[in-house]
Amino acid sequence: MYYFFTETFPPHYLYFWIDMGHITIKELASRLNLSISTVSRALGDSHEISKATRDKVMALAQELNYTPNLYASSLRSQKSKTIAVIIPEILNNFFALAIDGIEEIAQQNGYHVLIYLTHDDHAKEAAMVQHLLNGRVDGILMSVAAETNDTSHIAEFAKHNIPVVFFDRVCDNFKTIKFVTDDYHSGFNATKHLVSRGCKNIAYLSLSKNLSIDQKRKDGYLDACKKLNRPAHIINCTQSDAENEQIIADMLNADKTIDGIFASVEKLAISTYEVCNRLNIEIPQQLKIVSFSNLRIASLLKPGLTTINQPAFEIGKQATVALFRALKNNTIFTKSEEIVIPSTLIARDSTAVKIN
Amino acid sequence: MYYFFTETFPPHYLYFWIDMGHITIKELASRLNLSISTVSRALGDSHEISKATRDKVMALAQELNYTPNLYASSLRSQKSKTIAVIIPEILNNFFALAIDGIEEIAQQNGYHVLIYLTHDDHAKEAAMVQHLLNGRVDGILMSVAAETNDTSHIAEFAKHNIPVVFFDRVCDNFKTIKFVTDDYHSGFNATKHLVSRGCKNIAYLSLSKNLSIDQKRKDGYLDACKKLNRPAHIINCTQSDAENEQIIADMLNADKTIDGIFASVEKLAISTYEVCNRLNIEIPQQLKIVSFSNLRIASLLKPGLTTINQPAFEIGKQATVALFRALKNNTIFTKSEEIVIPSTLIARDSTAVKIN
């Protein structure tokens, strides 16, 4: 990738052309009475330059607080030392914890983390991908927007040799490594848990039929309903909290036999709590609730929320370890591989048979 | 800033030297049977090149999916089109909401947002600042780490002509524009609220004496205690939830007359709830609690938490508007200016005189 450039000009010149700091290589050279190319090579630690000269240049550079320009070093190494994390939202404990895991590994590798929020909007996601193709980042960690079913924009990364790792919300038809939790199994288990606590008529609150995790959790719910002889009700919710509260209220008003709610994501459980407060529906006496959630304060809610806790920090961490493996080997992922890190159901008062 | 560079080589050459995409300008030139410098200038929309040629070049560039290199355009415009947000943590509703506000304005301006987490560690913050000095970002939004009392690292930004806007957690001795809430006044009000609900002995939970917001909230608390003839107790907490629970439990066990808690930040209120659950202390009957917090589900806690709601989204938004004003005018902030956006106390059951 270097060939054209090195054939034409010696690469150490770059230091000099594109220094944008307040102290330039030109100034260093003039103060030291050396040629610009000597200073540039000395800063690049070139063995063409004597150790004595290199030391002299380094000392003055340090004294004058000379900052080598990012773009110069990026051009030399072809690395931006930055990875991007594309996620739907930040006001969500799963993603906040996953970012903590991502950051831990990025910092160990001396990398910076760019965070992009899609707000579950496919057009926004596609625009962000377009923007990231130009060398701004070396690799991508991605949890796709709920709206995304066309992955052609993501395929552009492969064309630009940028490795992509999916976590949590993945696209089945895009070939790469994917870090997920056991969504189907957890969906089955959550439904079984509600039935074991006496629920006869359980509704599943879905965020989006295009969302991989939602599809799998729903499949687990449907299979459990079938196996345990319970009717199934899929309630399609939206991205808007206000709309969801209306949808949930309408459902509970229309069918008084609903005695269990399985919320596919945390915010739908929160909306259900709000609706129950408003309609004076008692949890768990009249309605039991279980939700996928990483809410730290689930136990402090009234009543404590039964959650399926995802290993968010671990998923973020392991996905990032895989990304750095690809970056070090200068490869991209071309095969589908799924790594499953299981979730844990934590039963609290929202699904209790009797509450104290 | 361009002078040296333009004197030596025509700037359009840059497109050609540093294109790292899979389609190079060299290749475009060869396919079109044009010189590299003509193609480069055509892509740069130079009027030295005829419209017919420019159109021909643009058409092929589009057809072959030519992506201009970020660093090339950055060198020309001297802009990275990126701003950095340096904050202590992400698992905090205040910062999550502020980021939403920041993002809205950044997107409108076609900018990207880099998020940096300091985890309230001064050394980490200083290292991040060092890394950001090299042209990676055009501007900085910053909420300083609780540990930060030396601001010499932040002063480096000014030396590099990078504007810095503070929000929420600011340094008094660093001159720039600062977006804050009315911490002193809200601290005074929160204390008065607890007294009006019958509290005789209120403890203030402090996160760090080096934190500007903590200092001001504490001053408001101390002045209210003095004015209303109540004793004052400052309890110094730490960054660790486990340690804080121990500190709060020890305090409540040692002094049974404590009947009110004013938590300076959300996580200290959560720790207090945990401790009360463990020690079977009834809120609000035995202990009333008020906290600075942007927790969406404060009302769903057991009991609902009385909060001082900060205008987090608005603070993030207005701080970013100011930053873009500086970027457009190519200036930095050299004077201290404080913009105060007030908070609102929302009374809930945690400070109720009687609970239903």
Side-chain angles (χ1 to χ4, degrees):
Chain A
M1 281 162 95
Y2 254 104
Y3 77 103
F4 190 78
F5 165 66
T6 47
E7 268 170 26
T8 320
F9 303 102
H12 56 263
Y13 268 67
L14 262 182
Y15 273 125
F16 151 66
W17 295 331
I18 59 183
D19 178 14
M20 301 188 288
H22 52 313
I23 292 293
T24 62
I25 293 205
K26 192 188 175 190
E27 201 166 333
L28 290 177
S30 136
R31 291 198 188 208
L32 290 163
N33 206 14
L34 290 170
S35 79
I36 287 165
S37 100
T38 301
V39 172
S40 175
R41 276 180 289 177
L43 287 170
D45 213 21
S46 161
H47 290 280
E48 296 166 72
I49 309 296
S50 74
K51 190 175 177 307
T53 305
R54 275 184 279 154
D55 288 351
K56 205 163 64 177
V57 171
M58 288 300 190
L60 185 69
Q62 206 155 26
E63 187 195 321
L64 297 181
N65 215 0
Y66 169 81
T67 314
N69 187 276
L70 163 74
Y71 297 121
S73 4
S74 293
L75 290 168
R76 289 173 65 89
S77 67
Q78 308 275 11
K79 294 282 187 201
S80 66
K81 287 276 179 186
T82 305
I83 57 173
V85 182
I86 304 177
I87 53 174
E89 50 175 336
I90 197 78
L91 261 177
N92 172 310
N93 291 279
F94 174 83
F95 290 115
L97 285 167
I99 286 171
D100 278 348
I102 289 165
E103 244 221 334
E104 183 173 304
I105 302 300
Q107 278 196 359
Q108 282 170 15
N109 285 275
Y111 262 66
H112 288 260
V113 178
L114 262 166
I115 299 174
Y116 287 82
L117 307 180
T118 62
H119 299 287
D120 270 322
D121 176 334
H122 176 263
K124 236 180 219 175
E125 185 179 279
M128 285 168 181
V129 167
Q130 199 53 43
H131 197 95
L132 286 169
L133 292 175
N134 57 5
R136 191 182 283 275
V137 297
D138 299 341
I140 308 277
L141 290 159
M142 190 165 185
S143 200
V144 299
E147 278 190 358
T148 300
N149 45 13
D150 164 17
T151 60
S152 58
H153 61 301
I154 307 172
E156 289 293 316
F157 286 128
K159 290 190 199 154
H160 285 72
N161 260 320
I162 300 171
V164 177
V165 174
F166 278 163
F167 69 102
D168 187 48
R169 306 185 178 186
V170 305
C171 287
D172 284 335
N173 57 348
F174 186 78
K175 287 185 181 167
T176 190
I177 192 165
K178 299 163 191 185
F179 290 83
V180 296
T181 190
D182 54 347
D183 291 296
Y184 172 86
H185 182 251
S186 292
F188 191 99
N189 252 6
T191 314
K192 213 173 103 183
H193 173 76
L194 285 170
V195 171
S196 78
R197 297 301 170 96
C199 292
K200 303 210 180 314
N201 206 1
I202 302 163
Y204 175 86
L205 305 184
S206 166
L207 188 64
S208 164
K209 61 178 169 15
N210 290 324
L211 197 58
S212 61
I213 52 169
D214 202 334
Q215 192 60 55
K216 285 171 192 158
R217 291 166 189 181
K218 195 186 329 184
D219 286 347
Y221 159 80
L222 289 171
D223 284 358
C225 285
K226 204 170 164 188
K227 196 174 166 196
L228 301 168
N229 290 314
R230 294 291 185 281
H233 308 270
I234 308 288
I235 309 298
N236 292 313
C237 296
T238 75
Q239 291 298 329
S240 149
D241 291 333
E243 281 175 23
N244 291 337
E245 289 185 23
Q246 195 55 53
I247 290 167
I248 295 164
D250 289 350
M251 169 194 75
L252 292 174
N253 282 327
D255 186 348
K256 302 283 184 194
T257 69
I258 299 277
D259 56 4
I261 294 272
F262 176 8
S264 59
V265 295
E266 185 176 294
K267 69 174 174 186
L268 298 177
I270 302 299
S271 291
T272 306
Y273 267 62
E274 300 277 10
V275 169
C276 288
N277 269 359
R278 220 173 50 220
L279 301 182
N280 287 318
I281 296 172
E282 282 185 289
I283 311 170
Q285 293 87 337
Q286 294 170 268
L287 188 71
K288 299 192 196 318
I289 304 177
V290 59
S291 177
F292 271 85
S293 168
N294 284 82
L295 196 60
R296 187 192 149 197
I297 56 172
S299 66
L300 299 180
L301 294 184
K302 185 183 176 183
L305 174 64
T306 295
T307 55
I308 303 148
N309 267 56
Q310 301 160 83
F313 182 86
E314 200 56 29
I315 286 178
K317 197 171 157 175
Q318 291 201 23
T320 315
V321 167
L323 183 63
F324 277 102
R325 212 166 48 227
L327 289 175
K328 270 166 199 160
N329 298 333
N330 209 10
T331 57
I332 62 167
F333 299 100
T334 52
K335 285 181 195 165
S336 273
E337 188 188 345
E338 199 168 81
I339 287 103
V340 179
I341 310 176
S343 290
T344 318
L345 189 143
I346 301 174
R348 297 196 182 87
D349 280 348
S350 74
T351 56
V353 176
K354 271 188 193 171
I355 198 164
N356 301 324
Chain B
M1 281 165 96
Y2 254 104
Y3 78 107
F4 190 78
F5 165 66
T6 47
E7 269 170 25
T8 320
F9 303 102
H12 55 265
Y13 268 66
L14 262 183
Y15 273 123
F16 148 68
W17 295 332
I18 60 182
D19 177 14
M20 303 187 288
H22 53 313
I23 293 293
T24 61
I25 293 206
K26 192 186 173 192
E27 199 167 334
L28 291 177
S30 134
R31 291 197 189 207
L32 291 163
N33 206 14
L34 291 169
S35 78
I36 287 165
S37 101
T38 301
V39 172
S40 174
R41 277 180 288 179
L43 288 171
D45 213 23
S46 161
H47 289 282
E48 297 166 71
I49 308 296
S50 74
K51 190 175 179 306
T53 304
R54 275 185 279 153
D55 288 351
K56 206 164 61 175
V57 171
M58 287 299 190
L60 185 68
Q62 203 153 29
E63 187 194 320
L64 297 181
N65 214 0
Y66 169 80
T67 316
N69 187 277
L70 162 73
Y71 296 120
S73 2
S74 293
L75 290 169
R76 288 173 66 88
S77 66
Q78 308 276 13
K79 293 281 187 201
S80 65
K81 287 275 179 185
T82 305
I83 57 172
V85 183
I86 303 177
I87 53 173
E89 50 174 339
I90 196 77
L91 262 176
N92 173 309
N93 291 280
F94 174 83
F95 290 115
L97 285 166
I99 286 171
D100 278 349
I102 290 166
E103 245 222 331
E104 183 174 304
I105 302 300
Q107 278 195 1
Q108 284 171 14
N109 286 276
Y111 261 67
H112 287 260
V113 179
L114 262 165
I115 298 173
Y116 287 82
L117 307 180
T118 62
H119 299 287
D120 270 322
D121 177 333
H122 176 263
K124 236 178 219 175
E125 185 179 279
M128 285 167 181
V129 168
Q130 199 52 42
H131 196 97
L132 287 169
L133 292 176
N134 57 4
R136 193 182 282 274
V137 297
D138 299 342
I140 309 278
L141 290 158
M142 190 164 185
S143 200
V144 298
E147 279 190 359
T148 300
N149 45 13
D150 164 18
T151 59
S152 56
H153 61 300
I154 308 172
E156 290 293 316
F157 287 127
K159 291 192 197 153
H160 286 73
N161 259 319
I162 300 171
V164 177
V165 174
F166 278 162
F167 69 102
D168 188 47
R169 306 184 179 186
V170 306
C171 287
D172 284 335
N173 57 346
F174 185 78
K175 287 185 181 167
T176 189
I177 192 164
K178 300 164 191 186
F179 290 82
V180 296
T181 190
D182 54 348
D183 290 296
Y184 172 86
H185 182 251
S186 292
F188 191 99
N189 252 6
T191 313
K192 211 172 105 180
H193 173 76
L194 285 170
V195 170
S196 77
R197 297 302 169 97
C199 293
K200 303 213 180 304
N201 205 3
I202 301 162
Y204 175 86
L205 304 184
S206 165
L207 188 63
S208 164
K209 61 179 169 17
N210 290 325
L211 197 59
S212 60
I213 52 169
D214 202 334
Q215 192 60 54
K216 285 170 193 159
R217 291 167 190 180
K218 196 187 326 184
D219 287 347
Y221 158 80
L222 288 171
D223 284 356
C225 285
K226 204 171 164 186
K227 198 176 166 191
L228 302 167
N229 290 315
R230 294 291 185 281
H233 308 270
I234 307 288
I235 309 298
N236 292 314
C237 297
T238 75
Q239 291 299 329
S240 149
D241 292 332
E243 281 175 21
N244 290 339
E245 290 185 22
Q246 195 56 53
I247 290 167
I248 295 164
D250 288 350
M251 168 194 75
L252 292 174
N253 282 327
D255 186 348
K256 302 284 185 194
T257 68
I258 299 280
D259 56 3
I261 294 273
F262 175 9
S264 58
V265 295
E266 186 176 296
K267 69 174 172 183
L268 297 178
I270 302 300
S271 292
T272 306
Y273 267 62
E274 299 278 10
V275 169
C276 288
N277 269 358
R278 221 173 51 219
L279 300 183
N280 287 319
I281 295 172
E282 282 186 289
I283 312 170
Q285 293 87 336
Q286 294 170 265
L287 188 72
K288 301 194 198 313
I289 304 178
V290 59
S291 178
F292 271 86
S293 167
N294 284 84
L295 196 62
R296 188 195 146 194
I297 55 173
S299 66
L300 299 179
L301 294 185
K302 186 183 177 181
L305 174 65
T306 294
T307 56
I308 303 147
N309 268 55
Q310 300 159 85
F313 183 87
E314 201 55 29
I315 286 178
K317 198 170 158 175
Q318 292 201 23
T320 315
V321 167
L323 183 64
F324 278 102
R325 211 164 52 227
L327 289 175
K328 270 164 200 160
N329 297 334
N330 210 10
T331 58
I332 62 167
F333 299 99
T334 52
K335 285 181 196 164
S336 273
E337 187 187 346
E338 199 169 80
I339 287 103
V340 179
I341 310 174
S343 291
T344 320
L345 189 144
I346 301 173
R348 298 197 181 89
D349 280 347
S350 72
T351 54
V353 176
K354 271 188 190 170
I355 197 163
N356 302 323

Coordinates of all heavy atoms in Angstrom, one line a residue, chain B residues 20-62:
Chain B
M20 N -5.6 5.9 0.6 CA -5.3 4.5 1.1 C -6.5 3.6 0.7 O -6.5 2.4 1.0 CB -5.2 4.5 2.6 CG -4.1 5.4 3.1 SD -3.7 5.2 4.8 CE -5.2 6.0 5.5
G21 N -7.5 4.1 0.0 CA -8.6 3.2 -0.4 C -8.2 2.2 -1.4 O -7.1 2.2 -1.8
H22 N -9.2 1.4 -1.8 CA -8.8 0.3 -2.8 C -8.7 0.9 -4.2 O -8.1 0.4 -5.0 CB -9.7 -0.9 -2.7 CG -11.2 -0.5 -2.8 ND1 -11.7 0.6 -2.0 CD2 -12.2 -1.0 -3.5 CE1 -13.0 0.7 -2.3 NE2 -13.3 -0.2 -3.2
I23 N -9.4 2.0 -4.5 CA -9.3 2.7 -5.7 C -8.5 4.0 -5.5 O -8.8 4.8 -4.6 CB -10.7 3.1 -6.3 CG1 -11.5 1.9 -6.7 CG2 -10.5 4.0 -7.5 CD1 -10.9 1.1 -7.9
T24 N -7.4 4.1 -6.2 CA -6.5 5.3 -5.9 C -6.7 6.3 -7.0 O -7.3 6.0 -8.1 CB -5.0 4.9 -6.0 OG1 -4.7 4.4 -7.3 CG2 -4.7 3.8 -4.9
I25 N -6.3 7.5 -6.7 CA -6.4 8.6 -7.7 C -5.5 8.2 -9.0 O -5.9 8.4 -10.1 CB -5.9 9.9 -7.2 CG1 -6.9 10.3 -6.1 CG2 -5.8 10.9 -8.2 CD1 -6.9 11.8 -5.9
K26 N -4.4 7.5 -8.7 CA -3.5 7.0 -9.7 C -4.3 6.2 -10.7 O -4.2 6.3 -12.0 CB -2.4 6.2 -9.1 CG -1.2 6.0 -10.1 CD -0.3 5.0 -9.4 CE 0.8 4.6 -10.4 NZ 1.6 3.5 -9.9
E27 N -5.1 5.3 -10.2 CA -5.9 4.4 -11.0 C -7.0 5.1 -11.8 O -7.2 4.9 -13.0 CB -6.5 3.3 -10.1 CG -7.0 2.1 -10.9 CD -7.3 0.9 -9.9 OE1 -6.8 0.9 -8.8 OE2 -8.1 0.1 -10.3
L28 N -7.6 6.1 -11.1 CA -8.6 6.9 -11.9 C -7.9 7.6 -13.0 O -8.4 7.6 -14.1 CB -9.2 7.9 -10.9 CG -10.2 7.4 -9.8 CD1 -10.6 8.6 -8.9 CD2 -11.4 6.7 -10.4
A29 N -6.8 8.2 -12.8 CA -6.1 8.9 -13.8 C -5.7 8.0 -14.9 O -5.9 8.4 -16.1 CB -4.8 9.6 -13.1
S30 N -5.2 6.8 -14.6 CA -4.8 5.9 -15.7 C -5.9 5.5 -16.5 O -5.9 5.5 -17.8 CB -4.0 4.8 -15.0 OG -4.5 3.6 -15.6
R31 N -7.1 5.2 -15.9 CA -8.3 4.8 -16.7 C -8.8 5.9 -17.6 O -9.4 5.7 -18.6 CB -9.4 4.4 -15.7 CG -9.1 3.1 -15.0 CD -10.3 2.5 -14.4 NE -10.0 1.4 -13.6 CZ -10.9 0.4 -13.3 NH1 -12.1 0.4 -13.9 NH2 -10.6 -0.6 -12.5
L32 N -8.7 7.2 -17.1 CA -9.2 8.3 -17.8 C -8.2 8.9 -18.8 O -8.5 9.9 -19.5 CB -9.7 9.4 -16.8 CG -10.9 9.0 -16.0 CD1 -11.0 9.9 -14.8 CD2 -12.2 9.1 -16.9
N33 N -7.0 8.4 -18.7 CA -5.9 8.9 -19.5 C -5.7 10.4 -19.2 O -5.5 11.2 -20.1 CB -6.2 8.7 -21.0 CG -4.9 8.6 -21.8 OD1 -3.8 8.5 -21.2 ND2 -5.0 8.7 -23.1
L34 N -5.7 10.7 -18.0 CA -5.5 12.1 -17.5 C -4.3 12.1 -16.6 O -3.9 11.0 -16.0 CB -6.7 12.6 -16.8 CG -8.0 12.9 -17.6 CD1 -9.1 13.2 -16.6 CD2 -7.8 14.1 -18.5
S35 N -3.7 13.3 -16.3 CA -2.6 13.3 -15.3 C -3.2 13.2 -13.9 O -4.4 13.6 -13.7 CB -1.8 14.6 -15.5 OG -2.5 15.6 -14.8
I36 N -2.4 12.7 -13.0 CA -2.8 12.6 -11.6 C -3.2 13.9 -11.0 O -4.2 14.0 -10.3 CB -1.7 11.9 -10.8 CG1 -1.6 10.4 -11.2 CG2 -1.9 12.0 -9.3 CD1 -0.3 9.7 -10.7
S37 N -2.5 14.9 -11.4 CA -2.8 16.2 -10.8 C -4.1 16.8 -11.3 O -4.8 17.4 -10.6 CB -1.6 17.2 -11.0 OG -1.9 18.1 -12.1
T38 N -4.4 16.5 -12.6 CA -5.7 16.9 -13.1 C -6.9 16.2 -12.4 O -7.8 16.8 -12.0 CB -5.8 16.6 -14.7 OG1 -4.7 17.3 -15.3 CG2 -7.1 17.0 -15.2
V39 N -6.7 14.9 -12.2 CA -7.8 14.2 -11.5 C -7.9 14.7 -10.1 O -9.0 14.9 -9.6 CB -7.5 12.6 -11.5 CG1 -8.4 11.9 -10.6 CG2 -7.5 12.1 -12.9
S40 N -6.8 14.9 -9.4 CA -6.8 15.4 -8.0 C -7.5 16.7 -8.0 O -8.4 16.9 -7.1 CB -5.4 15.5 -7.5 OG -5.4 16.1 -6.2
R41 N -7.2 17.6 -8.9 CA -7.8 18.9 -8.9 C -9.3 18.8 -9.3 O -10.2 19.5 -8.7 CB -7.1 19.9 -9.8 CG -5.9 20.5 -9.1 CD -5.2 21.5 -10.0 NE -4.4 20.8 -11.0 CZ -3.7 21.3 -12.0 NH1 -3.6 22.6 -12.0 NH2 -3.0 20.6 -12.9
A42 N -9.6 17.9 -10.2 CA -11.0 17.7 -10.6 C -11.9 17.2 -9.4 O -13.0 17.7 -9.1 CB -11.2 16.7 -11.7
L43 N -11.3 16.3 -8.6 CA -12.0 15.8 -7.4 C -12.1 16.9 -6.4 O -13.1 16.9 -5.6 CB -11.2 14.6 -6.8 CG -11.3 13.3 -7.6 CD1 -10.3 12.3 -7.0 CD2 -12.7 12.7 -7.6
G44 N -11.2 17.8 -6.4 CA -11.2 18.9 -5.4 C -12.1 20.1 -6.0 O -12.2 21.1 -5.4
D45 N -12.8 19.8 -7.1 CA -13.7 20.8 -7.8 C -13.0 22.1 -8.1 O -13.6 23.2 -8.0 CB -14.9 21.0 -6.8 CG -16.2 21.3 -7.6 OD1 -16.2 20.9 -8.8 OD2 -17.1 21.9 -7.1
S46 N -11.7 22.0 -8.6 CA -11.0 23.2 -8.9 C -11.4 23.8 -10.2 O -11.8 23.1 -11.2 CB -9.5 22.8 -9.0 OG -8.8 23.8 -9.7
H47 N -11.5 25.1 -10.2 CA -12.0 25.8 -11.4 C -10.9 25.9 -12.5 O -11.1 26.3 -13.6 CB -12.6 27.1 -11.1 CG -13.8 27.0 -10.4 ND1 -15.0 26.7 -11.0 CD2 -14.2 27.0 -9.1 CE1 -16.0 26.5 -10.2 NE2 -15.5 26.7 -9.0
E48 N -9.7 25.4 -12.1 CA -8.6 25.3 -13.2 C -8.9 24.2 -14.2 O -8.3 24.2 -15.2 CB -7.3 25.0 -12.5 CG -6.8 26.0 -11.5 CD -5.6 25.5 -10.7 OE1 -4.5 25.3 -11.2 OE2 -5.9 25.2 -9.5
I49 N -9.9 23.3 -13.8 CA -10.2 22.2 -14.6 C -11.6 22.4 -15.3 O -12.5 22.9 -14.6 CB -10.2 20.9 -13.8 CG1 -8.9 20.7 -12.9 CG2 -10.5 19.6 -14.6 CD1 -7.7 20.6 -13.7
S50 N -11.7 22.0 -16.6 CA -13.0 22.3 -17.3 C -14.1 21.5 -16.6 O -13.9 20.4 -16.1 CB -12.8 21.9 -18.7 OG -12.8 20.5 -18.8
K51 N -15.3 22.0 -16.8 CA -16.5 21.3 -16.2 C -16.6 19.9 -16.8 O -16.9 18.9 -16.1 CB -17.8 22.1 -16.4 CG -18.9 21.5 -15.6 CD -20.2 22.3 -15.6 CE -21.2 21.6 -14.8 NZ -21.5 20.2 -15.1
A52 N -16.4 19.8 -18.1 CA -16.5 18.5 -18.8 C -15.6 17.4 -18.1 O -16.0 16.3 -17.8 CB -16.2 18.6 -20.2
T53 N -14.3 17.8 -17.9 CA -13.4 16.9 -17.3 C -13.8 16.6 -15.8 O -13.7 15.4 -15.4 CB -12.0 17.6 -17.3 OG1 -11.7 17.9 -18.6 CG2 -10.9 16.6 -16.7
R54 N -14.2 17.6 -15.1 CA -14.6 17.4 -13.7 C -15.7 16.4 -13.7 O -15.7 15.5 -12.9 CB -15.1 18.7 -13.1 CG -13.9 19.5 -12.5 CD -14.4 20.7 -11.7 NE -14.7 21.9 -12.7 CZ -15.6 22.8 -12.4 NH1 -16.3 22.8 -11.3 NH2 -15.8 23.8 -13.3
D55 N -16.7 16.6 -14.6 CA -17.9 15.6 -14.6 C -17.4 14.2 -14.9 O -17.9 13.3 -14.3 CB -18.9 16.1 -15.7 CG -19.6 17.3 -15.2 OD1 -19.5 17.7 -14.0 OD2 -20.4 17.9 -16.0
K56 N -16.5 14.1 -15.9 CA -16.0 12.8 -16.3 C -15.3 12.1 -15.1 O -15.5 10.9 -14.8 CB -15.0 13.0 -17.4 CG -14.9 11.8 -18.3 CD -14.2 12.1 -19.7 CE -12.8 12.7 -19.5 NZ -12.1 12.9 -20.7
V57 N -14.5 12.9 -14.4 CA -13.7 12.3 -13.2 C -14.7 11.9 -12.1 O -14.6 10.8 -11.6 CB -12.7 13.3 -12.7 CG1 -12.1 12.9 -11.4 CG2 -11.6 13.6 -13.7
M58 N -15.7 12.8 -11.8 CA -16.6 12.5 -10.8 C -17.4 11.3 -11.1 O -17.7 10.4 -10.2 CB -17.6 13.7 -10.6 CG -17.0 14.9 -9.9 SD -16.4 14.6 -8.3 CE -16.0 16.2 -7.7
A59 N -17.8 11.1 -12.4 CA -18.7 10.0 -12.8 C -17.9 8.7 -12.5 O -18.4 7.7 -12.0 CB -19.1 10.1 -14.2
L60 N -16.6 8.6 -12.9 CA -15.8 7.4 -12.8 C -15.6 7.1 -11.3 O -15.7 6.0 -10.8 CB -14.5 7.5 -13.5 CG -13.7 6.1 -13.5 CD1 -14.4 5.0 -14.2 CD2 -12.3 6.3 -14.0
A61 N -15.3 8.2 -10.6 CA -15.0 8.1 -9.1 C -16.2 7.4 -8.4 O -16.1 6.5 -7.6 CB -14.7 9.4 -8.5
Q62 N -17.4 7.9 -8.8 CA -18.6 7.4 -8.3 C -18.8 5.9 -8.7 O -19.1 5.0 -7.8 CB -19.8 8.2 -8.7 CG -21.0 8.1 -7.8 CD -21.8 9.4 -8.0 OE1 -21.9 10.1 -9.0 NE2 -22.5 9.8 -6.9

